[in-house]
Amino acid sequence: MKILLVLSLAGLCTAAVVPSADFDRSVMKFISDNEYKGGQVGVMIEDRLAFAKGYGKNHEHQDIYVHNLIPVGSLSKAFTAVTILKLVEDGSLDLNAKVFGKGGILSAFKPWDEATVDQRLYDITVDHLLRHTGGWDYTKSKLMEPLLNSALLANGYNIENITAEMKLPELTTPIEVIRFMMSRPLDFTPGTQSAVSNLGYSILGQIIEMITDFDYDEYVKKHVMIPCGMMYTKIGRPHVFAKTRDTNEPLMSDVAKVSPEFVGPALGWESNMYDIMRFSRCLDGSGDFKILSDKSLNSLIAKPSAVPVQHSNSWIGAAFTVNSRGSIWIEGEFFTDDLLFFHHGPLVKDAATQQSNAAPGMPSAYAAFFTGQMFNPTKSSIHNLVKAEKSWSDENLFLDDVADVKTKYGKIEQVVKYQLEEHHLHGYARALSLLRYDIKWINGFSYKKKTYFVVIAQKVEKPLFDKVLITPGLTEATLTQHKLHLEKSGFNLTYLQNYMSHSHGGSVFLAVFRKNSYSNSTVIRYGLQHYTQSYKKLIELYAEEGYIPTSQSLMYNGVDGLVSFILQEDENRKSQKDYRSYEGITQSRLNKLVTGNAKYKRKLVYLDEADYFGKPQFSAVFVNDKVNSMLFNSKLSVKDMSKIIQREQMYGKLPRIIVAYGDKGSLWYAMFLEK
């Protein structure tokens, strides 16, 4: 009996609790019970992503994974609101500025019919639009939602046809809708009521374009998405629903009738749970960066002045609904998929306590986006599901997004990404820095008419905010301009690669700038696209003065090899460093060079590849240094690399250099690991 009892207790002990399992099952049941097609759900605990998963199908009946982009509907307004408040911070915009009429920001916008203008239109301010107090209420309007006029008409609504009224072949820009609505009576006096208005946020989008002279989405990406590390989020084709007159069942409209440009600032962005939770982290500053100042955040959640608060403890702020405890949320609207973004708050914490409304170790923010429109009480339902989970994962799932492979040896932690798309690089580099991962190696390559980067990054203890700049797509002229400009702010050019960019249409440069990277005794020289023979003579001359190459990128223009380089000298050196450099070497010879130089205590410090009439040619630099236990192979698949990295980390060998190249239609990698 005693033995049986011991075995029984041992069995109980080995039945480990799977983190987030109950929550995962509850979400699946919620989706099924409410007849959604699918969705994505994410949960933040303080500054880490504790849960992120995709479920079911999207509108195109494809499986939804956590990386997939999905429409985020009314959360689009939050991106617009944050951009407006950043412009206010920068001094470029006044919230009290009038929008229309003489002296208004959009004074160039003329009503379609001057004779029918409601004169209260000229009292509308930027702040009114921001807080949904501009005077429009689609629940009272015979037009309902003017930006969706074509979609509503296609779904059988008996409303005015704006296109026909304006005698246009079709509506091509939101400006036409805005001009039409400028001629219509307002539903209430601006500033006296709150009613969610997509039209108001479309107008804010026009204000952003007028103030910045950039396209709305381009400016928001550069000043909100990229700083927050949101690499995926973009304007996408919205999915709009409408109710028929004789049933409660929602019907999806013909999405071709709704142009993304029409509803972008209000409903038109698409994203995934990784980026949405990065946005949450960026709002509350739980990482090393906060997108808005405390003053702006207080403005974001402030009660609209002179507007009766709908409930004693909650009100409509700028984009978000806010309660008296400082929690904020956004839910779906009548025309969009059901969704919830909820943050416990407060976004501005008391200086003395720095306390969140969420208990330590408990979810601070969560989001749920569903494919479908059931008008469920999403906020309370998801809140109850989150509250019921007692065991959350200790992992930070942001790392799953930025890494194909994670490595660890002792205190050294690394992530490796094999194929990062070029247009994601800015956001990816920022996402890494906000996780305190420093990019130690990066290399651009082309494969099947697309441009990618392979990246190795390593965990550091101190914040990296604005200390490392990764800049792709530079021409010779812009590289020189960047270098001169950044040097004034203490940045040094530390890495250079010449690569073929399909998005930029040819040969461009990738440069890495680091703040105060060199000591006062260090001198650098750099050159762009020197012919190989002249380059060899040049570095021989500089070698006599103590310079060694630290970057040596190879590119071909026909049969001519072109080398772009950085040379570095330490004026306080005690002895001349021995180095060897090679250009235009084959893959088979590369293996021999790595082994041969190691015998003379020279290790590989730089490697690049260029396509020479369909054949890979390499450029390599070896420098005399302490050569630790190492491993090199110049022809590996992704699967091979992953196995090697996982195996060798146990012995302390970690990736230092990875270069990708195409050969006979296949993609291969050269990888150097060192202990």
Side-chain angles (χ1 to χ4, degrees):
M1 289 295 292
K2 289 182 180 179
I3 293 174
L4 287 174
L5 179 60
V6 171
L7 288 173
S8 177
L9 288 173
L12 287 173
C13 292
T14 56
V17 176
V18 179
S20 311
D22 289 341
F23 179 71
D24 186 23
R25 285 190 291 267
S26 297
V27 171
M28 287 191 284
K29 186 175 185 301
F30 179 81
I31 289 173
S32 176
D33 289 350
N34 291 283
E35 299 181 349
Y36 291 114
K37 294 178 182 177
Q40 286 184 5
V41 178
V43 178
M44 288 289 292
I45 295 180
E46 296 165 350
D47 68 338
R48 65 184 176 86
L49 181 59
F51 184 89
K53 190 173 179 181
Y55 301 87
K57 305 285 185 179
N58 62 16
H59 288 294
E60 287 73 39
H61 310 291
Q62 299 165 331
D63 290 336
I64 297 178
Y65 299 100
V66 71
H67 278 98
N68 293 145
L69 291 178
I70 55 175
V72 297
S74 50
L75 188 60
S76 303
K77 296 181 183 65
F79 307 149
T80 303
V82 167
T83 305
I84 288 290
L85 290 171
K86 281 191 69 64
L87 288 170
V88 174
E89 274 187 20
D90 297 341
S92 302
L93 184 62
D94 182 353
L95 285 180
N96 295 316
K98 297 292 177 62
V99 176
F100 300 113
K102 187 177 180 180
I105 298 171
L106 301 181
S107 59
F109 284 40
K110 304 301 181 185
W112 172 64
D113 186 351
E114 294 276 4
T116 58
V117 173
D118 185 331
Q119 292 301 308
R120 294 176 298 178
L121 175 80
Y122 301 115
D123 296 327
I124 297 173
T125 66
V126 176
D127 196 65
H128 289 148
L129 300 178
L130 192 65
R131 301 181 199 288
H132 297 289
T133 64
W136 298 285
D137 184 348
Y138 80 86
T139 64
K140 297 178 181 178
S141 171
K142 293 180 180 179
L143 266 171
M144 297 192 70
E145 182 53 74
L147 291 171
L148 308 179
N149 188 251
S150 297
L152 295 175
L153 287 166
N155 268 348
Y157 274 83
N158 184 23
I159 55 176
E160 284 184 71
N161 186 325
I162 296 177
T163 306
E165 288 284 335
M166 297 184 76
K167 296 180 174 59
L168 297 171
E170 63 177 336
L171 292 173
T172 57
T173 72
I175 295 175
E176 292 163 344
V177 178
I178 293 169
R179 289 185 59 234
F180 182 82
M181 293 304 294
M182 289 171 69
S183 305
R184 304 285 301 218
L186 296 177
D187 299 310
F188 58 84
T189 299
T192 63
Q193 297 180 37
S194 290
V196 173
S197 173
N198 292 312
L199 177 65
Y201 267 71
S202 180
I203 297 169
L204 287 175
Q206 296 298 320
I207 289 173
I208 290 169
E209 292 193 349
M210 182 66 69
I211 293 293
T212 66
D213 205 25
F214 280 87
D215 288 343
Y216 161 80
D217 61 328
E218 182 183 356
Y219 190 84
V220 176
K221 281 182 183 178
K222 182 176 181 180
H223 294 274
V224 176
M225 307 303 177
I226 298 302
C228 291
M230 299 167 68
M231 68 187 93
Y232 306 108
T233 309
K234 65 178 185 178
I235 293 288
R237 186 164 295 282
H239 293 273
V240 177
F241 292 84
K243 298 286 186 183
T244 60
R245 296 299 187 188
D246 55 358
T247 179
N248 287 325
E249 183 181 354
L251 299 173
M252 190 170 72
S253 72
D254 179 358
V255 294
K257 299 287 185 180
V258 183
S259 168
E261 290 76 17
F262 266 64
V263 294
L267 298 171
W269 289 86
E270 57 184 10
S271 187
N272 63 23
M273 202 48 65
Y274 290 120
D275 268 9
I276 294 305
M277 288 317 190
R278 289 186 179 108
F279 181 65
S280 172
R281 197 171 184 251
C282 213
L283 274 178
D284 64 23
S286 54
D288 293 328
F289 175 71
K290 204 169 187 175
I291 189 69
L292 292 174
S293 67
D294 285 353
K295 181 180 179 181
S296 294
L297 287 170
N298 280 322
S299 178
L300 184 83
I301 64 176
K303 293 181 181 180
S305 58
V307 177
V309 176
Q310 294 86 343
H311 305 285
S312 59
N313 65 344
S314 65
W315 57 89
I316 299 176
F320 296 94
T321 302
V322 187
N323 69 17
S324 55
R325 298 180 68 237
S327 299
I328 62 170
W329 64 92
I330 289 179
E331 295 180 85
E333 297 176 18
F334 186 83
F335 302 103
T336 64
D337 290 304
D338 287 346
L339 64 89
L340 172 70
F341 174 90
F342 182 88
H343 193 294
H344 274 289
L347 298 179
V348 181
K349 298 179 178 66
D350 179 81
T353 63
Q354 289 291 301
Q355 287 185 343
S356 167
N357 288 333
M362 295 303 292
S364 53
Y366 40 87
F369 293 80
F370 299 112
T371 311
Q373 186 194 48
M374 304 303 163
F375 292 103
N376 291 299
T378 311
K379 179 171 170 282
S380 59
S381 299
I382 300 301
H383 178 76
N384 289 336
L385 297 184
V386 170
K387 190 176 179 180
E389 177 60 58
K390 302 302 181 186
S391 175
W392 293 102
S393 170
D394 292 328
E395 298 292 320
N396 188 348
L397 300 184
F398 282 133
L399 289 176
D400 289 346
D401 182 40
V402 298
D404 290 320
V405 174
K406 293 177 281 188
T407 69
K408 186 174 183 180
Y409 181 75
K411 294 184 178 180
I412 302 174
E413 297 179 39
Q414 287 186 338
V415 296
V416 180
K417 192 76 172 175
Y418 298 133
Q419 272 183 263
L420 176 71
E421 293 184 38
E422 183 177 24
H423 65 279
H424 286 161
L425 179 57
H426 276 127
Y428 177 83
R430 182 65 169 177
L432 277 178
S433 71
L434 292 175
L435 293 170
R436 294 191 180 180
Y437 275 80
D438 187 11
I439 292 179
K440 296 298 186 181
W441 176 259
I442 183 169
N443 190 265
F445 64 96
S446 296
Y447 182 61
K448 292 185 176 180
K449 297 183 179 180
K450 285 189 176 182
T451 305
Y452 303 93
F453 291 89
V454 57
V455 178
I456 303 171
Q458 188 166 306
K459 183 77 171 176
V460 295
E461 294 299 321
K462 295 181 180 180
L464 288 166
F465 172 59
D466 283 352
K467 293 182 179 177
V468 182
L469 298 176
I470 312 290
T471 312
L474 296 170
T475 64
E476 289 189 37
T478 55
L479 173 59
T480 302
Q481 291 170 3
H482 269 68
K483 181 179 181 295
L484 294 174
H485 173 72
L486 290 170
E487 281 176 345
K488 295 176 182 177
S489 302
F491 282 89
N492 306 121
L493 175 64
T494 59
Y495 179 91
L496 183 65
Q497 188 202 358
N498 194 190
Y499 70 99
M500 287 300 297
S501 168
H502 292 279
S503 61
H504 291 93
S507 172
V508 293
F509 294 92
L510 167 76
V512 178
F513 298 91
R514 294 179 177 273
K515 194 154 193 177
N516 302 320
S517 179
Y518 298 137
S519 66
N520 292 332
S521 64
T522 301
V523 180
I524 70 164
R525 298 283 185 266
Y526 84 105
L528 306 179
Q529 295 189 330
H530 286 242
Y531 289 105
T532 51
Q533 291 303 315
S534 62
Y535 169 69
K536 288 176 182 177
K537 294 178 182 178
L538 183 69
I539 60 171
E540 285 175 4
L541 292 173
Y542 272 106
E544 295 175 2
E545 299 178 23
Y547 286 88
I548 62 170
T550 57
S551 290
Q552 182 178 285
S553 182
L554 182 65
M555 180 65 65
Y556 281 96
N557 181 13
V559 297
D560 296 319
L562 303 172
V563 181
S564 300
F565 58 88
I566 299 175
L567 305 177
Q568 179 180 321
E569 179 205 18
D570 183 355
E571 293 177 335
N572 292 336
R573 71 189 188 282
K574 294 181 180 179
S575 62
Q576 172 64 42
K577 275 193 173 183
D578 179 31
Y579 78 90
R580 294 288 185 275
S581 70
Y582 306 86
E583 317 87 32
I585 54 179
T586 63
Q587 176 258 325
S588 58
R589 188 184 173 209
L590 179 60
N591 288 324
K592 297 174 183 177
L593 287 174
V594 173
T595 304
N597 276 278
K599 292 179 181 178
Y600 293 94
K601 297 183 178 180
R602 289 188 294 264
K603 71 177 180 182
L604 183 67
V605 296
Y606 186 89
L607 184 65
D608 190 26
E609 180 272 343
D611 180 271
Y612 183 72
F613 296 104
K615 288 286 184 179
Q617 299 281 296
F618 293 87
S619 170
V621 177
F622 298 85
V623 174
N624 182 256
D625 204 345
K626 181 180 178 182
V627 179
N628 299 312
S629 177
M630 68 176 192
L631 182 66
F632 181 78
N633 194 310
S634 64
K635 196 169 186 179
L636 297 168
S637 67
V638 166
K639 187 176 180 180
D640 294 335
M641 275 197 302
S642 296
K643 286 182 179 179
I644 292 170
I645 291 171
Q646 296 287 10
R647 181 190 70 213
E648 295 299 323
Q649 69 175 330
M650 295 187 294
Y651 308 106
K653 293 193 189 84
L654 300 176
R656 301 299 186 202
I657 293 175
I658 301 177
V659 171
Y661 62 95
D663 189 14
K664 297 179 181 178
S666 298
L667 181 64
W668 301 101
Y669 293 82
M671 180 170 67
F672 175 74
L673 296 92
E674 183 184 21
K675 188 169 183 178

